[in-house]
Amino acid sequence: MSDLPAAFREHLKEHATISTLTERIVRRGDGGLTRKAVFSLPGNETVEAVLMVYPGRATVCVSSQAGCPMGCTFCATAKLGFRQDLSPGDIAHQVLWAQRELEKIPEDLDPQASRHRVNGPEDVPARLTNVVFMGMGEPFNNYENWRKSVDLLHDPDGFNFGARNFTVSTVGLVPGIQKLMDDPLQINLAISLHAADDSIRSDMMPVNRKYPIADLLDAVREYTAKTRRRVSFEYVLIDGKNDDLEEARKLADVLVSKGKFPMHVNLIPLNPVADTGMTRSSRQRVNEFRDYLESRGVPATVRIQRGVDIDAACGQLAGDVAKDLNAAS
Ligand code: SAH
């Protein structure tokens, strides 16, 4: 900025910073259509973001905290514990990275991409179509910063991203759901439910002791009544833990017992995380679980898996720079 007085530049050098995250590593998977970036923060912490390209659409999954305080037993991020909140700029920065990364894809399209139905540059969108707050951390545990990042990205003078193209996922913090239902912006909501039985859910997710299933679902019903928007529930399927048909029955029961509301269940076969002793349900069990829900009138789909080979899939973001550096080189 040579148009500024030299003394002022010196002052800025000492007191101000512009960029937030520093890109350390970018790993590629799924024929280059899934890309995970590891960023470092000014201290020593790292966070990750994942870009996923599909025919005609591109989603970035961004982090809201370094580490996570929620302690879910099946998630790699939880193992780090809470490290620090991200600023609105840190969160928005990940979206800018994804947009720039997306722009590089048409020129270096990998032949393997056609396995994912991306056959040529014309299948790669020019702009990101979705931003999901489903990376490291709990967005509602860093509500103000998370919400300001949405404003930055939504601003016509900023990224100009449509409100309906954001999805925030929460572990089930009821106060956050209550705040969001009064928000004039139409941000989509996803809830990590993962069990319909309080003892199983508390075992998997300590947050359930504070906000048990009935309280959580009351808040969700109020949210859908107020906003008239459909919510989605994430349900990770873990072999022998929450995946038998009895659990599917309980899930259908809790979701329809007080009357139907607009919702959808996303089934996610557990992605591998070291030292959890847990494994994913078989393909057959996943299908049976889905079919049972559908038979009860609960719309359910199995989430398409991306990024498992590069530790970029749901629940695998561990900020393991050494491992990522090794794998990337
Ligand atoms: N803290 C928020 C945002 C994270 S979203 C939340 O809990 O919703 C990441 C999603 O991946 C959550 O639904 C989380 O429960 C799920 N997840 C965590 N570990 C996983 C694993 N090993 N396999 C599949 N999904 C996992």
Side-chain angles (χ1 to χ4, degrees):
M1 289 188 283
S2 54
D3 51 340
L4 298 179
F8 185 51
R9 291 203 312 258
E10 267 317 301
H11 181 82
L12 285 178
K13 209 190 240 171
E14 262 172 50
H15 298 280
T17 48
I18 297 177
S19 77
T20 54
L21 305 177
T22 309
E23 186 181 309
R24 296 281 300 280
I25 310 159
V26 177
R27 289 180 69 183
R28 296 174 177 209
D30 303 317
L33 297 178
T34 304
R35 299 183 180 203
K36 174 172 99 162
V38 182
F39 302 97
S40 53
L41 290 157
N44 241 342
E45 302 303 337
T46 56
V47 288
E48 303 181 7
V50 183
L51 168 66
M52 292 157 281
V53 179
Y54 307 90
R57 138 180 113 75
T59 299
V60 61
C61 176
V62 305
S63 297
S64 53
Q65 297 178 313
C68 183
M70 306 314 304
C72 301
T73 54
F74 47 91
C75 178
T77 309
K79 310 244 176 290
L80 302 170
F82 174 68
R83 302 295 181 83
Q84 77 182 65
D85 280 332
L86 297 191
S87 70
D90 297 332
I91 301 172
H93 186 118
Q94 299 168 61
V95 178
L96 298 185
W97 163 77
Q99 177 60 38
R100 288 181 190 136
E101 196 66 29
L102 176 64
E103 288 164 13
K104 297 180 200 160
I105 293 182
E107 292 113 69
D108 69 358
L109 211 50
D110 187 313
Q112 297 287 332
S114 58
R115 285 201 193 168
H116 302 274
R117 295 178 297 118
V118 173
N119 297 316
E122 66 285 358
D123 292 333
V124 180
R127 261 177 76 90
L128 288 169
T129 53
N130 298 82
V131 174
V132 301
F133 298 96
M134 298 188 181
M136 300 167 93
E138 166 55 37
F140 288 177
N141 193 240
N142 185 21
Y143 198 99
E144 298 311 319
N145 287 353
W146 161 71
R147 187 57 187 78
K148 276 188 201 148
S149 77
V150 173
D151 280 337
L152 291 174
L153 295 164
H154 179 58
D155 194 312
D157 291 330
F159 208 72
N160 197 15
F161 211 82
R164 285 188 180 81
N165 301 13
F166 295 107
T167 301
V168 64
S169 179
T170 179
V171 73
L173 297 181
V174 167
I177 298 170
Q178 284 162 341
K179 260 191 229 169
L180 193 66
M181 68 178 90
D182 292 323
D183 198 311
L185 270 195
Q186 310 243 303
I187 302 163
N188 298 304
L189 175 64
I191 311 280
S192 294
L193 189 57
H194 303 324
D197 174 300
D198 276 316
S199 77
I200 298 177
R201 191 166 191 269
S202 295
D203 212 40
M204 296 168 63
M205 307 172 73
V207 70
N208 194 64
R209 296 192 193 107
K210 189 152 187 203
Y211 301 111
I213 295 167
D215 297 359
L216 173 58
L217 293 180
D218 280 345
V220 172
R221 276 186 289 261
E222 193 184 339
Y223 170 94
T224 57
K226 249 192 187 161
T227 63
R228 305 195 167 282
R229 288 204 299 277
R230 185 179 82 155
V231 293
S232 44
F233 292 104
E234 289 135 312
Y235 194 106
V236 62
L237 284 163
I238 306 175
D239 186 43
K241 182 82 192 160
N242 63 352
D243 68 339
D244 64 32
L245 289 185
E246 179 58 15
E247 298 314 314
R249 187 188 59 71
K250 288 183 202 161
L251 179 59
D253 286 349
V254 296
L255 293 182
V256 300
S257 63
K258 293 194 182 168
K260 286 208 171 159
F261 57 95
M263 48 96 167
H264 176 265
V265 175
N266 247 313
L267 298 170
I268 316 169
L270 182 80
N271 292 310
V273 172
D275 307 324
T276 59
M278 298 176 207
T279 52
R280 61 169 48 184
S281 311
S282 68
R283 185 74 223 184
Q284 186 188 343
R285 176 44 56 96
V286 171
N287 291 339
E288 285 167 2
F289 204 95
R290 179 200 56 208
D291 294 346
Y292 177 82
L293 292 177
E294 290 275 345
S295 77
R296 293 281 308 272
V298 174
T301 46
V302 178
R303 185 176 280 177
I304 310 172
Q305 177 174 298
R306 278 295 183 93
V308 177
D309 299 342
I310 55 166
D311 297 316
C314 306
Q316 291 189 313
L317 304 182
D320 190 343
V321 179
K323 186 176 176 198
D324 287 320
L325 267 176
N326 245 334
S329 57

